[in-house]
Amino acid sequence: MWLESQAALKELLAQELPSQPPRPETDQRLFFHMLATLFLRYTQILRCLETCYDQMVHPQKRRVLQHMLDGVMGRVLELKNEMVETELSEYHYMDDVLQDLKLTPVRGAWAEGGGGPLSCSILPSRPAMLRDEAVQLVQMAERMRQGRLRSKFMWEIRRDEERERRARETGAKELDREQAAICIQKVRGTWPAQSVGLPGVCFFTRMPGCKGTLAVPVGTVNRAVKVRSFRRLRQADYEAEYQQALVNIQEGLYEVEGPDMREEMKEQLRQWFIECHDLTGRFPEFPDEEIGGSSILFAEKTPEQVSGQDPDPKGKLPVPPGGGAGKAELGGAKAASDLPPFPAAIWGNRGESDNFQQRYEPELIKAQKRKEVEKELRLQVRGRDRAVSRARPGSVAILTQSAPQTVGGAGHSQALGSPNPRSPSRTLDSLYEELVLQGILKQAQRVQLADYTGDFCYLGTTLRMAGIEPTPSVMDIRQNIALYAILRLGSPTLHEMAPLVKSVLLAGPAGTGKKMLVHAVCTETGANLFDLSPDNLVGKYPGKAGLSMLMHVVFKVARLMQPSVIWIGNAEKTFYKKVPKEEKQADPKRLKRDLPKALKLLKPEDRVLLIGTSDKPYAADVKTLCKAYERILLLPRPDYASRYVTWQRLIKKHGGTITTALDVSALAKLSDGYSQGHLARAVQMALTERRLLQMPKKPLRAGEFLRLLAKADPIYSEEEKTLQDWYMKTPLGKKRLKAMQESADRKEGKGKDKKGKKGKK
């Protein structure tokens, strides 16, 4: 998979960086089609590399893959940003591109060791099958099924006959049903909760956290968990060995190769001083560290630069002829540092038959650490470089004096930042404890992004070509959350280099999963959750000084303990147009001025994301709200396909069994207008402990859920229309509305021109 991903990456780079720049594309649809094709192909490569990274245990290989993953994920985010600017929409529909590439969207999962960073995986579809081949395949499967049933039936007959024969030979009496039940109960009561089955027998147990008797093979579940846990432990152990080897090998290089390196450098610098003095009649000055320091003394130079006729563009430095190709190796450390730490080509041509356990390679560590040792020794050797450059010729011998040898270096102490009068001499632990006690810093719920279930919109492109804006599906929302929040917060390199997103607003009706997505982001990335909702700040940090202290402490701790998510529930209250009378005492607008100022201070290296949730964003001032939130995602009620998938997941999650008596399709159709929250509450109320015990004799039916669902208020079309009208007032909505109007005017103008020409004829 690694080699295939490498080949695919080379092909894509050749396509994106041709020898001659391509002509600009004027057709918007063709340009978006090109962007979508690149987006999907990079997604395929990303999923392959992620699988490789998860399955490998070799620490050095994982570093190479991490470097490649950051690059591919960064390109995916760049393409996403370009698609938003092209279509002027946060949601994109690429079903036509998927069809051209012969790919099929598959519901994926974002979880440790499985799934991928995007909310959909891309798998190649199978080629079309002929009708005769399909009929033959179905007939073969049917004959095999009948054969298995016949074999099982005959085995049961022979088993019963064998039991009767043994009973007649031993003279044992046949037990009645009541005595058999008592015997089974006695034996069953002595077994442990999760016993290991006998050979050929599979026992089933209940999954932790689930109600009812959900049948899951114990052996299969335990085996999968053990394999995943064992791989995680091996990765951690090998990483610890690798980190220790970095220290040990570096110390060994200092002791074994350090003295020879130092003497060689002294000799080279002494020769450089003498030859430069012979050529120019003066001693040269050492270059500054900004242009490379003494490492550039050994770079290749022309005779003109050596004689001083052609000044060095980076400094006033003549170099003798001896500092040419023979000594360029020492000066190559800086150039090599810009490359990946271990090129993937090394692993492709490297024999590892003697490294079956996939532990670290010492030779590669030596090659890496040798450059660091050379750099540190060079700084030690030059010691008093400026004094030597101004000294008399005889003082050049000062270079031969031994410099103090250090193996480690000065220790670094992490501080909380510059002293601030708002929090003088406060430690991070004390600030953390204060935020926890005040209820600002909370523990996120253990929710995975995969729990936000739904389906795709398979006709989005067709609807848009017909002039109808499709409703975003649950999977579209999930993908945007993965791109805007999870990928960026999960990778420091990605957050710093990719297009910066500081804040996201999730707007939609109540119960559509906005709060759940916030907790899912914290769970997937391991981020800290800071709750700055107006309802949570009532009575805390009063006054202007208290508010200033609150914002300072929250953003200070969030930056020091990144990744961090700052959540504001009911985000419209912070930017109310008019505060209701019953809320004036709570002062919900107290963050209106300080919040945008604090966001401006965030730098690309600060993995801090502001996420706001609101079910009534139209109650806020659009201008100030959109200044605080860069990305606005509208979450509509789920469509039929998403409701169908959600019903199935919720019923199975709470211990229910879906049989032919339960028409899930009708249930999904009749629940139109209700949110995921409504469905979850209906399932939770219906599947009680008593009802789960009755399931074997009384299967579940759709009416049980519909009766409970009818008690809740649905999402009315007027509310959805209000949200759509509000979204068209946002900056991206205004651009899209303007673009649609211009397109309509162009079509109308072309129609008038055609009519005018016909009239003239």
Side-chain angles (χ1 to χ4, degrees):
M1 291 179 68
W2 191 358
L3 291 175
E4 290 174 359
S5 302
Q6 284 281 96
L9 270 177
K10 290 180 180 178
E11 181 182 350
L12 279 179
L13 289 175
Q15 178 182 344
E16 289 200 76
L17 302 172
S19 56
Q20 295 182 356
R23 297 178 59 185
E25 183 61 59
T26 56
D27 192 339
Q28 181 182 353
R29 288 186 178 179
L30 291 178
F31 182 67
F32 178 78
H33 189 280
M34 180 185 68
L35 291 177
T37 303
L38 291 173
F39 181 83
L40 292 175
R41 293 189 65 185
Y42 274 112
T43 302
Q44 286 182 281
I45 297 173
L46 177 57
R47 294 189 66 83
C48 289
L49 290 176
E50 185 194 22
T51 303
C52 295
Y53 182 79
D54 176 67
Q55 298 293 326
M56 284 186 177
V57 295
H58 198 294
Q60 291 159 308
K61 290 181 181 179
R62 285 170 62 84
R63 275 168 169 70
V64 180
L65 285 171
Q66 180 65 53
H67 184 83
M68 297 175 64
L69 271 171
D70 288 338
V72 176
M73 286 191 292
R75 186 59 184 143
V76 167
L77 295 181
E78 288 177 351
L79 290 170
K80 168 65 178 178
N81 194 50
E82 292 179 12
M83 288 193 295
V84 171
E85 294 178 355
T86 301
E87 277 202 325
L88 301 176
S89 174
E90 296 287 357
Y91 303 105
H92 315 290
Y93 304 98
M94 299 172 278
D95 39 298
D96 56 336
V97 186
L98 288 170
Q99 187 175 1
D100 293 344
L101 297 177
K102 298 182 180 180
L103 300 175
T104 304
V106 179
R107 282 186 293 273
W110 173 274
E112 186 181 4
L118 302 182
S119 56
C120 67
S121 60
I122 307 299
L123 299 178
S125 59
R126 295 181 177 179
M129 185 181 296
L130 298 177
R131 182 185 179 88
D132 296 340
E133 294 179 1
V135 172
Q136 184 179 2
L137 185 62
V138 172
Q139 291 175 348
M140 186 188 309
E142 179 63 21
R143 286 194 294 270
M144 293 168 64
R145 187 187 68 85
Q146 293 178 2
R148 288 193 297 269
L149 291 177
R150 191 179 301 109
S151 174
K152 182 180 179 182
F153 180 67
M154 296 303 297
W155 176 78
E156 291 176 353
I157 292 176
R158 288 194 297 270
R159 181 195 61 185
D160 294 341
E161 291 177 352
E162 182 67 18
R163 286 179 178 176
E164 292 176 1
R165 184 184 64 78
R166 290 180 180 178
R168 287 194 303 268
E169 292 178 354
T170 57
K173 296 181 179 180
E174 184 178 355
L175 297 176
D176 57 7
R177 293 176 60 88
E178 185 174 352
Q179 290 176 339
I182 294 174
C183 183
I184 292 174
Q185 289 173 0
K186 287 181 179 180
V187 177
R188 181 65 178 174
T190 60
W191 288 358
Q194 292 184 355
S195 60
V196 179
L198 299 174
V201 181
C202 183
F203 294 107
F204 296 90
T205 184
R206 196 183 312 178
M207 290 293 290
C210 296
K211 298 179 181 179
T213 55
L214 180 61
V216 178
V218 177
T220 305
V221 173
N222 289 343
R223 181 178 175 84
V225 172
K226 287 180 181 178
V227 169
R228 189 180 300 111
S229 301
F230 181 68
R231 188 170 65 246
R232 296 285 181 272
L233 290 175
R234 287 186 66 187
Q235 290 173 353
D237 292 342
Y238 287 4
E239 178 65 24
E241 289 181 5
Y242 175 72
Q243 294 295 338
Q244 185 62 35
L246 291 176
V247 179
N248 296 338
I249 291 177
Q250 185 173 6
E251 293 178 355
L253 288 174
Y254 269 111
E255 296 176 0
V256 178
E257 302 182 15
D260 295 338
M261 288 184 186
R262 187 181 294 107
E263 293 300 326
E264 184 181 356
M265 290 178 185
K266 291 177 182 178
E267 181 64 28
Q268 290 172 355
L269 288 176
R270 189 188 308 110
Q271 187 68 21
W272 174 72
F273 266 101
I274 295 172
E275 293 184 9
C276 285
H277 184 271
D278 293 341
L279 287 173
T280 61
R282 61 182 177 85
F283 286 105
E285 295 181 3
F286 263 80
D288 297 330
E289 289 298 329
E290 292 82 9
I291 62 174
S294 60
S295 61
I296 66 172
L297 297 179
F298 311 102
E300 295 186 15
K301 295 289 180 178
T302 62
E304 290 78 8
Q305 290 175 335
V306 173
S307 61
Q309 298 175 3
D310 184 14
D312 187 2
K314 290 187 178 182
K316 42 198 182 205
L317 176 67
V319 177
K327 302 181 182 179
E329 183 181 356
L330 293 177
K334 189 174 187 303
S337 64
D338 299 329
L339 300 175
F342 304 108
I346 295 178
W347 300 107
N349 303 324
R350 194 180 187 88
E352 291 188 289
S353 57
D354 57 342
N355 189 17
F356 182 77
Q357 296 295 330
Q358 289 293 286
R359 283 183 163 85
Y360 64 88
E361 290 286 343
E363 294 300 325
L364 294 177
I365 298 180
K366 288 181 180 179
Q368 178 190 9
K369 289 297 180 182
R370 188 174 285 113
K371 296 172 183 177
E372 298 180 8
V373 171
E374 288 176 354
K375 183 178 180 181
E376 187 167 348
L377 289 177
R378 188 181 301 114
L379 295 177
Q380 294 178 10
V381 168
R382 61 171 292 185
R384 300 168 65 184
D385 54 353
R386 300 187 183 280
V388 172
S389 64
R390 294 192 298 266
R392 294 190 301 272
S395 63
V396 177
I398 198 173
L399 288 172
T400 62
Q401 298 177 2
S402 59
Q405 180 176 351
T406 58
V407 175
H412 298 281
S413 59
Q414 182 180 2
L416 288 179
S418 57
N420 195 296
R422 301 190 185 98
S423 57
S425 65
R426 294 288 299 275
T427 62
L428 180 60
D429 293 339
S430 65
L431 296 176
Y432 186 93
E433 182 180 2
E434 178 183 338
L435 292 176
V436 172
L437 294 177
Q438 291 290 339
I440 305 297
L441 185 57
K442 297 182 177 181
Q443 184 177 5
Q445 301 175 7
R446 297 292 299 177
V447 181
Q448 301 288 340
L449 187 63
D451 297 335
Y452 192 69
T453 53
D455 209 342
F456 297 92
C457 179
Y458 297 96
L459 298 175
T461 304
T462 305
L463 293 174
R464 275 190 173 174
M465 292 180 67
I468 303 173
E469 182 63 24
T471 303
S473 67
V474 171
M475 300 302 286
D476 295 326
I477 298 167
R478 209 169 92 174
Q479 187 183 69
N480 279 345
I481 292 296
L483 291 172
Y484 287 144
I486 294 179
L487 285 186
R488 286 178 163 87
L489 289 179
S491 173
T493 304
L494 201 61
H495 190 275
E496 187 173 353
M497 303 303 295
L500 185 60
V501 174
K502 296 181 181 180
S503 54
V504 178
L505 176 66
L506 305 178
T512 51
K514 300 182 293 295
K515 185 178 178 181
M516 176 185 177
L517 289 173
V518 175
H519 288 279
V521 171
C522 296
T523 302
E524 300 289 359
T525 60
N528 300 286
L529 180 61
F530 298 84
D531 186 2
L532 291 183
S533 304
D535 298 337
N536 190 42
L537 297 181
V538 176
K540 300 175 183 178
Y541 295 94
K544 189 174 181 181
L547 178 61
S548 179
M549 177 69 178
L550 169 67
M551 298 302 293
H552 167 70
V553 171
V554 167
F555 278 85
K556 182 177 185 178
V557 176
R559 283 194 298 266
L560 291 174
M561 300 187 62
Q562 54 185 285
S564 300
V565 170
I566 299 176
W567 171 49
I568 298 182
N570 298 322
E572 76 281 354
K573 293 185 178 181
T574 308
F575 304 97
Y576 260 146
K577 296 178 183 176
K578 184 178 180 182
V579 181
K581 293 182 179 179
E582 60 273 13
E583 297 184 23
K584 284 187 177 180
Q585 187 175 0
D587 192 13
K589 298 176 65 175
R590 57 187 307 208
L591 297 181
K592 181 178 180 180
R593 294 183 179 179
D594 293 347
L595 185 63
K597 294 178 181 178
L599 288 174
K600 290 181 179 179
L601 298 177
L602 291 179
K603 301 176 182 178
E605 57 269 19
D606 297 330
R607 285 187 293 158
V608 179
L609 180 66
L610 172 68
I611 303 181
T613 57
S614 173
D615 54 358
K616 297 178 182 179
Y618 43 82
D621 181 61
V622 179
K623 188 175 181 181
T624 54
L625 183 69
C626 294
K627 281 185 177 180
Y629 296 97
E630 301 175 359
R631 300 288 184 180
I632 298 176
L633 301 179
L634 196 61
L635 279 64
R637 58 183 174 85
D639 54 6
Y640 168 80
S642 297
R643 292 195 303 274
Y644 186 92
V645 175
T646 304
W647 276 118
Q648 286 185 323
R649 184 187 69 85
L650 290 174
I651 292 173
K652 292 179 181 178
K653 177 184 176 182
H654 289 82
T657 304
I658 298 177
T659 61
T660 55
L662 179 59
D663 192 348
V664 183
S665 178
L667 198 59
K669 182 68 177 176
L670 294 175
S671 58
D672 186 16
Y674 291 92
S675 65
Q676 296 95 321
H678 294 140
L679 307 187
R681 282 191 291 271
V683 173
Q684 191 173 4
M685 293 171 63
L687 296 181
T688 59
E689 289 287 346
R690 182 179 179 183
R691 183 65 185 90
L692 291 174
L693 295 174
Q694 297 173 350
M695 266 198 314
K697 297 181 179 179
K698 185 181 178 183
L700 294 174
R701 296 186 179 276
E704 301 180 48
F705 301 101
L706 292 176
R707 282 194 296 271
L708 296 171
L709 197 62
K711 297 179 181 180
D713 292 331
I715 301 172
Y716 296 102
S717 57
E718 291 80 6
E719 183 179 0
E720 289 187 322
K721 183 67 168 56
T722 304
L723 286 171
Q724 289 287 349
D725 294 341
W726 168 83
Y727 185 76
M728 286 301 171
K729 297 178 182 178
T730 62
L732 194 62
K734 288 180 180 179
K735 291 180 182 179
R736 181 164 182 80
L737 191 64
K738 183 179 179 181
M740 293 171 60
Q741 186 64 36
E742 291 176 354
S743 178
D745 293 343
R746 285 195 299 268
K747 290 182 180 179
E748 186 178 354
K750 289 181 180 179
K752 289 182 179 180
D753 293 342
K754 290 182 180 179
K755 290 180 181 180
K757 291 180 181 179
K758 289 181 180 179
K760 290 180 181 179
K761 289 180 179 179

